[in-house]
Amino acid sequence: MDLVPALEEPLKQPLKSVLGPATAKVMAEHLGLHTVGDLLHHYPRRYEERGQLTHLADLPMDEHVTVVAQVADARLHSFASAKAPRGKGQRLEVTITDGSGRLQLVFFGNGVHKPHKELLPGTRAMFSGRVSVFNRRLQLAHPAYELLRGDGDESVESWAGALIPIYPATAKLESWKIGKAVQTVLPTAQEALDPLPGPLLAGRGLLPLTEALLKIHRPHTKADIADARARLKWDEAFVLQVALARRRHADAQLPAVPRRPEPDGLLAAFDDRLPFTLTEGQQKVSQEIFADLATEHPMHRLLQGEVGSGKTMVALRAMLAVVDAGGQAAMLAPTEVLAQQHHRSITEMMGELAEGGMLGGAEHATKVVLLTGSMGAAGRRQALLDLVTGEAGIVIGTHALIEDKVQFHDLGLVVVDEQHRFGVEQRDALRGKGKQPPHLLVMTATPIPRTVAMTVFGDLETSVLDQLPAGRSPIASHVVPAADKPHFLARAWERVREEVAGGHQAYVVCPRIGDEEDDPKKAAGKKSPEDEAEKRPPLAVLDVADQLGREPLKGLKVEVLHGRMHPDDKDAVMRRFAAGETDVLVATTVIEVGVNVPNATAMVIMDADRFGVSQLHQLRGRVGRGSAPGLCLLVTEMPEASAARQRLNAVASTLDGFELSRIDLEQRREGDVLGQAQSGARTSLRVLAVIEDEEVIAEARQEATAVVAADPELEQFPGLRTALDALVDDEREQYLEKG
């Protein structure tokens, strides 16, 4: 983060290597560590105390772990096998304990000799390996280990320092080897350039960076660790917020055409014909958006709201305001199903106001066109013509909107629906179609905790819709443990029949399509630990629909919907379902966002453990959209004690999307908050936890905004500039530029 020449020195270079070439190669390939600075910022994940042992009872399945424990028992067994037919095969079983539980280690063949001599009862060591299950017991097969002896191998000082750092490691490089490499480069920490301004350091009583690096890697007490982490959290929060503050500052300098609605124009005519009153939340958020649209700089606003809170209505009113002011508005949707749904619902809501240029069109009417990749040539040609002439005030489309051929008369507003599904390049390409930068409204139905909004979306102002419109019904959610209690699943299908008998409809959601293009070999490489334990592929739409039609739902009209169907077929299926001609729709997650069928009251999610928390919440939001109560059944075969079941129980226990998004984030970690991968293992945050460190992030945002306002180019802060260059590399800089 604070790379200066000494810290920029490569770990591996032709003439002299800071570390052995083999170690440097593994660090680069498996841990992304290339320089001395990278290694100094590879912080311990946790610390073990020599006098205390770890909790073996809590080890995660199929993960690479490092534990400190004591040998309780070691036994050498002989056995016969194909390689050793005369009973000369050898297996060493070692039991280690920590007081909370026991764990078995197993070594085979020639690998038994060294551990047989070294791992004697009473010996204490660090063990590293992948946790597996054999005969229903946890074990580590052929773990690497390091004895904790306190003899000549280790200095008295390092033995007496009671805290052993445990580093994020890989199967190819154990934690203690990383620890030794860190010790080699630790003296270089003295040359680290401090990114935090002096007054900020002093005002908040934070350690200097050099001291924080020493204390995080070689702590003598738990207080050392706490002080170091507090300081390093500030580094990450502050540098990140400076990057975002600079982005906001740059955006504020861009010119944009102010768009103010006519007092008695299209927006007023639309509001007059609304059959209901907007919620307080919708009115408040609309005012924030109209205030932004009236300025001479582009709006950059994130509109987040619960499933069904009326975001589309707010976005439509913003689009109408821009059309009123002589501009055009484009809405970008992630799927054809959703684009068609938006087009249908918007033209229905607008009625004659969407019939610009047509007989019967209202005085202030405009044209609303749909543009998707699968449209026929004639329809597409007409839509493109309507856009370039300005005849169409509103266009709704998929990524087909981004193609070079698409030109606008005067693009004034871009609305992006379900932001997390779009690459930055796609959004940027659409924004580039305006004569001047258009205003931008990003919508998401995935509730985002405030701290994530300040980091992942830190360059956007945020509006929140947290009221549901009147007439929405509660949704009851239940977990259906199909393996433990098969009769619960039978009851689930009975409930679906009851809903249909009552004049309603149901969804059944599956993780997979199930046609011949689903290659099991491809899927095999991506299995989660729980998938591995289960050893069966996820349930598929085509199989489940077939079984339901023959067995539990025989006699009902069952149809399927998935992403590989022809767009016209998808649209026809959705139309039949919306018209009430289909009783049960068996679908993949194509129905996850935006699909609105108020008569659908029940949803059964098969293999619910295969979906993320936020995704389950999104899916559930498809029911309970009318006056009848909704029902969501989460079917799983996962055992009661599993993490997957706990996740499902959390979803069933609350309808609060913000609470669920916290749970989801805690499980997935924050992901790379400045890169496109907003989930997954690699994160640009090492010690800052977006959920837990809300206060630090909020304060860092204030400090960063003040620093950038006073010195946008950071000329007075060379350490901060260096840190920013390291955090915001070229790829992430583009991400921010385009965000």
Side-chain angles (χ1 to χ4, degrees):
M1 191 183 285
D2 32 74
L3 305 177
V4 292
L7 273 68
E8 282 177 2
E9 195 171 325
L11 294 170
K12 180 190 178 190
Q13 51 187 3
L15 298 176
K16 63 182 178 106
S17 187
V18 177
L19 307 173
T23 304
K25 185 169 187 268
V26 172
M27 284 190 172
E29 289 177 3
H30 294 275
L31 294 169
L33 307 177
H34 302 277
T35 64
V36 170
D38 290 343
L39 183 53
L40 284 174
H41 288 294
H42 188 70
Y43 308 132
R45 176 179 283 153
R46 58 191 169 83
Y47 301 83
E48 293 293 2
E49 295 180 65
R50 290 187 196 272
Q52 264 188 329
L53 298 174
T54 58
H55 282 280
L56 295 181
D58 303 332
L59 291 181
M61 265 294 298
D62 202 42
E63 281 192 23
H64 199 273
V65 299
T66 300
V67 297
V68 175
Q70 189 166 318
V71 176
D73 182 47
R75 298 181 184 200
L76 191 61
H77 301 273
S78 297
F79 62 91
S81 69
K83 289 185 179 174
R86 295 183 184 166
K88 292 193 176 172
Q90 289 191 307
R91 181 176 76 249
L92 176 65
E93 290 177 2
V94 179
T95 305
I96 58 174
T97 179
D98 67 347
S100 76
R102 295 164 85 81
L103 178 65
Q104 188 159 331
L105 317 178
V106 61
F107 301 86
F108 291 101
N110 293 334
V112 304
H113 304 307
K114 186 166 179 269
H116 188 221
K117 279 191 289 194
E118 293 181 334
L119 298 179
L120 305 173
T123 305
R124 197 170 275 181
M126 278 194 282
F127 301 94
S128 182
R130 192 169 290 282
V131 183
S132 58
V133 171
F134 182 72
N135 279 348
R136 294 183 165 266
R137 289 166 65 193
L138 293 180
Q139 72 167 25
L140 299 181
H142 282 284
Y145 63 89
E146 176 94 334
L147 301 181
L148 299 176
R149 288 189 280 243
D151 57 23
D153 289 3
E154 290 183 86
S155 70
V156 175
E157 182 202 356
S158 94
W159 173 258
L163 296 161
I164 306 168
I166 305 292
Y167 288 90
T170 75
K172 295 191 180 299
L173 196 64
E174 293 86 10
S175 167
W176 53 87
K177 289 184 181 168
I178 296 170
K180 285 178 179 172
V182 169
Q183 296 302 330
T184 306
V185 301
L186 203 50
T188 324
Q190 298 300 331
E191 301 181 46
L193 198 58
D194 206 315
L196 296 191
L200 192 158
L201 268 180
R204 297 191 177 271
L206 297 169
L207 295 180
L209 178 61
T210 51
E211 198 178 327
L213 287 172
L214 287 171
K215 284 186 171 178
I216 196 105
H217 290 296
R218 290 183 73 171
H220 291 295
T221 64
K222 289 184 177 174
D224 283 353
I225 300 169
D227 291 347
R229 288 179 70 85
R231 159 64 218 243
L232 296 167
K233 277 181 183 184
W234 256 94
D235 274 20
E236 291 185 356
F238 181 70
V239 176
L240 176 59
Q241 291 302 334
V242 165
L244 294 165
R246 290 184 78 198
R247 180 73 247 127
R248 289 194 301 276
H249 184 269
D251 284 341
Q253 314 307 310
L254 293 172
V257 179
R259 310 281 180 175
R260 297 181 185 89
E262 297 287 329
D264 53 356
L266 179 59
L267 178 62
F270 176 76
D271 284 349
D272 287 345
R273 56 174 287 135
L274 277 181
F276 52 82
T277 312
L278 296 174
T279 65
E280 271 179 52
Q282 285 175 315
Q283 290 174 4
K284 175 175 155 288
V285 170
S286 288
Q287 289 313 315
E288 291 171 351
I289 290 170
F290 292 152
D292 283 356
L293 290 174
T295 64
E296 294 182 353
H297 303 290
M299 168 173 79
H300 287 91
R301 189 165 285 278
L302 171 69
L303 171 58
Q304 54 167 315
E306 273 290 11
V307 178
S309 57
K311 292 182 300 302
T312 309
M313 174 58 70
V314 170
L316 175 56
R317 293 183 75 241
M319 293 195 286
L320 295 175
V322 168
V323 175
D324 247 357
Q328 292 169 291
M331 181 185 247
L332 192 57
T335 64
E336 294 211 349
V337 167
L338 190 52
Q340 287 162 342
Q341 174 95 26
H342 276 319
H343 182 254
R344 211 160 32 236
S345 61
I346 283 172
T347 48
E348 280 168 13
M349 281 193 277
M350 288 177 65
E352 61 191 22
L353 297 174
E355 295 172 357
M358 290 185 251
L359 277 175
E363 179 194 351
H364 298 291
T366 186
K367 205 167 184 182
V368 180
V369 301
L370 175 70
L371 188 65
T372 65
S374 64
M375 286 172 72
R380 186 181 177 77
R381 221 174 7 251
Q382 185 60 50
L384 291 173
L385 188 63
D386 288 343
L387 286 178
V388 78
T389 59
E391 186 88 8
I394 295 175
V395 59
I396 295 148
T398 55
H399 52 270
L401 279 177
I402 294 161
E403 291 173 9
D404 293 342
K405 290 178 190 165
V406 181
Q407 292 183 349
F408 290 85
H409 177 66
D410 180 13
L411 181 61
L413 170 66
V414 173
V415 178
V416 180
D417 193 17
E418 288 307 319
Q419 186 275 344
H420 62 282
R421 289 162 172 247
F422 284 100
V424 175
E425 290 78 11
Q426 293 173 306
R427 299 208 304 274
D428 187 49
L430 186 51
R431 280 170 64 189
K433 290 182 179 290
K435 293 186 175 72
Q436 282 193 318
H439 299 281
L440 174 70
L441 180 65
V442 167
M443 297 199 296
T444 177
T446 307
I448 301 163
R450 174 171 167 258
T451 45
V452 184
M454 286 192 293
T455 48
V456 180
F457 301 104
D459 55 338
L460 301 173
E461 298 301 322
T462 305
S463 296
V464 179
L465 274 177
D466 48 13
Q467 281 175 293
L468 289 186
R472 279 298 163 88
S473 301
I475 305 169
S477 304
H478 304 284
V479 177
V480 178
D484 308 351
K485 298 175 180 172
H487 59 287
F488 275 38
L489 183 57
R491 175 70 188 124
W493 301 127
E494 283 174 22
R495 283 293 290 110
V496 170
R497 279 190 172 280
E498 288 164 13
E499 291 296 314
V500 172
H504 298 296
Q505 294 159 278
Y507 298 101
V508 176
V509 181
C510 303
R512 211 165 54 101
I513 297 172
D515 57 17
E516 66 287 345
E517 289 183 51
D518 279 335
D519 182 350
K521 286 179 188 164
K522 281 184 192 166
K526 298 181 181 174
K527 286 187 176 175
S528 72
E530 287 160 348
D531 291 353
E532 280 293 342
E534 200 181 28
K535 297 290 187 208
R536 76 156 172 78
L539 291 171
V541 165
L542 300 179
D543 302 338
V544 168
D546 184 49
Q547 288 162 12
L548 291 177
R550 281 186 284 125
E551 291 289 335
L553 302 184
K554 192 173 181 181
L556 301 187
K557 180 85 167 65
V558 178
E559 288 210 68
V560 300
L561 180 71
H562 59 75
R564 280 209 284 267
M565 290 166 63
H566 188 278
D568 291 348
D569 296 338
K570 278 193 279 198
D571 196 38
V573 168
M574 274 314 301
R575 281 178 187 275
R576 285 196 292 275
F577 190 65
E581 295 165 23
T582 306
D583 298 322
V584 179
L585 187 63
V586 183
T588 55
T589 53
V590 289
I591 60 146
E592 181 186 348
V593 268
V595 172
N596 184 26
V597 181
N599 192 47
T601 53
M603 175 176 285
V604 181
I605 303 179
M606 307 302 292
D607 279 344
D609 47 272
R610 313 276 179 139
F611 299 97
V613 170
S614 294
Q615 200 171 27
L616 290 169
H617 183 58
Q618 288 289 318
L619 287 165
R620 172 172 61 185
R622 301 304 110 213
V623 296
R625 299 178 79 84
S627 54
L631 173 69
C632 179
L633 301 175
L634 306 167
V635 179
T636 179
E637 293 186 0
M638 283 292 137
E640 197 164 350
S642 64
R645 274 286 279 281
Q646 289 165 9
R647 203 166 65 231
L648 296 181
N649 290 339
V651 174
S653 68
T654 180
L655 292 172
D656 182 343
F658 285 92
E659 177 57 31
L660 289 174
S661 68
R662 290 180 79 93
I663 294 168
D664 194 23
L665 199 70
E666 281 160 8
Q667 289 181 340
R668 287 187 299 121
R669 307 195 8 243
E670 284 79 18
D672 190 340
V673 296
L674 281 187
Q676 292 182 49
Q678 286 175 16
S679 65
R682 183 153 188 272
T683 168
S684 55
L685 303 183
R686 295 178 176 89
V687 284
L688 190 72
V690 168
I691 288 288
E692 293 160 26
D693 297 319
E694 182 166 345
E695 207 173 294
V696 174
I697 292 169
E699 290 174 10
R701 183 179 169 104
Q702 279 182 334
E703 295 269 12
T705 305
V707 164
V708 171
D711 182 3
E713 295 305 311
L714 307 179
E715 286 169 2
Q716 298 167 44
F717 305 104
L720 180 53
R721 279 193 69 95
T722 310
L724 202 60
D725 292 342
L727 176 79
V728 186
D729 55 23
D730 290 347
E731 185 184 338
R732 293 197 183 118
E733 183 69 62
Q734 287 174 353
Y735 181 89
L736 285 177
E737 287 294 332
K738 295 174 179 176

